[in-house]
Amino acid sequence: MWSLMMGLWQPVTNLRDYVSQNPPAVTFFLCLLILAVSFIGLSSYSYTHTLPNPDTVKDWNHLLSSLSQFQLCAKANASSSEFVSPVPSPLMDTDTLNSTETPSVSRLHLKVPVVVTSNSNSGSLKDLGLHAVLKARQLHLGGNETVNVTLEFLSGNDTYTCLTISAPTQLLPMRLLPPECPASEKNISPIHVEASNQPPTALQTCYSLHSENDPTLTIMLTQEEQSVAERHLLEVSVCLLAVCLILCLAASLTHSLIRRHHWNGLDLQNEPLIDT
């Protein structure tokens, strides 16, 4: 009897047999195990690293990346009448109007990591400004609200550009603003350009924008938010590992019962027949 029980209760052997006979169940078990290990790894990583906030999509890297998707092209028949007056350059000039129909508008003058190149051979972009009017939806900020953008190129700096942007306050990311752009000593009259996704024609002078992702402009999780995320990841991992353990025990016991039933059947077949 003891040898029979020892033969039936063999967890490793039972699991090995169960694995070979139930591939779908084993695949499900491995998926749960990998998911649990992945959550534990992510929790460990977040413990030593600061993570970006996934709930905050609208930051300055996002806005500058959206702006860089466009070609800024001067009109073919541009004349001096199409130059616009320079935009004032305080860091933030918020005009709050009493009218309930007009939302408050913010005007920001910032130093942003955007490089501007031209398809023209005219060369230097020094003392040049570009002014464009876009819709908020083009920058993935909103709907049909108007966004005024002016770019002025810093003398002796090939990696940063002065960006003056004017838009309804609720559309602009107001956290982690880029640094203030220094006031220009020259009175530059920006050229009016149009934002386009189409390749420029040979007769058009167009300017391409290239933005660099700046980690200092990415909104990160606070320490409290990160602690909550780590705790939730560990709790889910423990639950998944518990489910994996239960599945292992269930598989082993199930296979033990099957083997026991098989052994009982053999014993019945081996009983001697009683002559009547």
Side-chain angles (χ1 to χ4, degrees), residues 69-131:
Q69 296 175 2
F70 295 98
Q71 295 269 349
L72 301 181
C73 298
K75 295 181 181 178
N77 58 349
S79 62
S80 58
S81 63
E82 297 194 53
F83 284 73
V84 296
S85 59
V87 182
S89 59
L91 172 63
M92 183 169 60
D93 179 14
T94 306
D95 304 321
T96 306
L97 304 179
N98 294 327
S99 172
T100 57
E101 298 179 358
T102 306
S104 62
V105 175
S106 292
R107 184 179 294 113
L108 307 175
H109 189 65
L110 307 169
K111 182 180 176 182
V112 295
V114 173
V115 178
V116 183
T117 57
S118 173
N119 67 342
S120 173
N121 295 324
S122 58
S124 176
L125 299 175
K126 185 179 178 181
D127 300 333
L128 179 65
L130 305 174
H131 178 81

Side-chain angles (χ1 to χ4, degrees), residues 59-76:
D59 59 18
W60 281 95
N61 284 322
H62 169 82
L63 190 153
L64 295 175
S65 176
S66 299
L67 181 61
S68 298
Q69 296 175 2
F70 295 98
Q71 295 269 349
L72 301 181
C73 298
K75 295 181 181 178

Side-chain angles (χ1 to χ4, degrees), residues 2-265:
W2 175 253
S3 60
L4 175 62
M5 291 299 297
M6 291 298 296
L8 292 176
W9 179 246
Q10 299 177 3
V12 176
T13 303
N14 292 340
L15 284 177
R16 185 173 62 246
D17 294 342
Y18 187 86
V19 166
S20 63
Q21 297 172 11
N22 299 273
V26 174
T27 302
F28 177 71
F29 169 82
L30 290 177
C31 289
L32 291 182
L33 185 61
I34 292 172
L35 192 59
V37 172
S38 300
F39 284 161
I40 292 174
L42 183 57
S43 177
S44 301
Y45 180 85
S46 64
Y47 185 76
T48 56
H49 297 76
T50 304
L51 301 178
N53 191 337
D55 296 327
T56 306
V57 179
K58 189 171 64 174
D59 59 18
W60 281 95
N61 284 322
H62 169 82
L63 190 153
L64 295 175
S65 176
S66 299
L67 181 61
S68 298
Q69 296 175 2
F70 295 98
Q71 295 269 349
L72 301 181
C73 298
K75 295 181 181 178
N77 58 349
S79 62
S80 58
S81 63
E82 297 194 53
F83 284 73
V84 296
S85 59
V87 182
S89 59
L91 172 63
M92 183 169 60
D93 179 14
T94 306
D95 304 321
T96 306
L97 304 179
N98 294 327
S99 172
T100 57
E101 298 179 358
T102 306
S104 62
V105 175
S106 292
R107 184 179 294 113
L108 307 175
H109 189 65
L110 307 169
K111 182 180 176 182
V112 295
V114 173
V115 178
V116 183
T117 57
S118 173
N119 67 342
S120 173
N121 295 324
S122 58
S124 176
L125 299 175
K126 185 179 178 181
D127 300 333
L128 179 65
L130 305 174
H131 178 81
V133 179
L134 299 95
K135 295 295 184 182
R137 67 172 180 273
Q138 293 178 282
L139 299 175
H140 308 290
L141 295 177
N144 292 320
E145 298 89 344
T146 299
V147 179
N148 289 279
V149 174
T150 301
L151 295 168
E152 296 175 2
F153 311 109
L154 296 172
S155 177
N157 196 322
D158 297 331
T159 57
Y160 285 89
T161 300
C162 278
L163 169 69
T164 303
I165 184 168
S166 177
T169 304
Q170 74 274 10
L171 299 182
L172 296 175
M174 304 306 290
R175 293 174 59 188
L176 293 181
L177 290 173
E180 178 182 2
C181 197
S184 176
E185 297 179 356
K186 298 183 179 180
N187 192 13
I188 301 174
S189 295
I191 303 173
H192 193 284
V193 293
E194 293 180 335
S196 173
N197 288 322
Q198 303 300 322
T201 64
L203 299 177
Q204 282 182 304
T205 300
C206 292
Y207 302 88
S208 300
L209 308 180
H210 307 277
S211 66
E212 293 290 337
N213 189 75
D214 188 348
T216 63
L217 300 179
T218 301
I219 298 176
M220 313 300 283
L221 289 172
T222 64
Q223 189 63 40
E224 182 180 356
E225 292 171 337
Q226 196 150 323
S227 298
V228 172
E230 293 168 9
R231 186 173 70 252
H232 288 174
L233 286 171
L234 288 176
E235 289 173 352
V236 173
S237 300
V238 170
C239 291
L240 290 175
L241 291 175
V243 172
C244 291
L245 179 60
I246 292 172
L247 290 177
C248 286
L249 293 176
S252 180
L253 291 175
T254 301
H255 202 71
S256 296
L257 292 175
I258 293 174
R259 293 184 63 185
R260 181 179 179 183
H261 180 73
H262 180 69
W263 279 65
N264 289 338

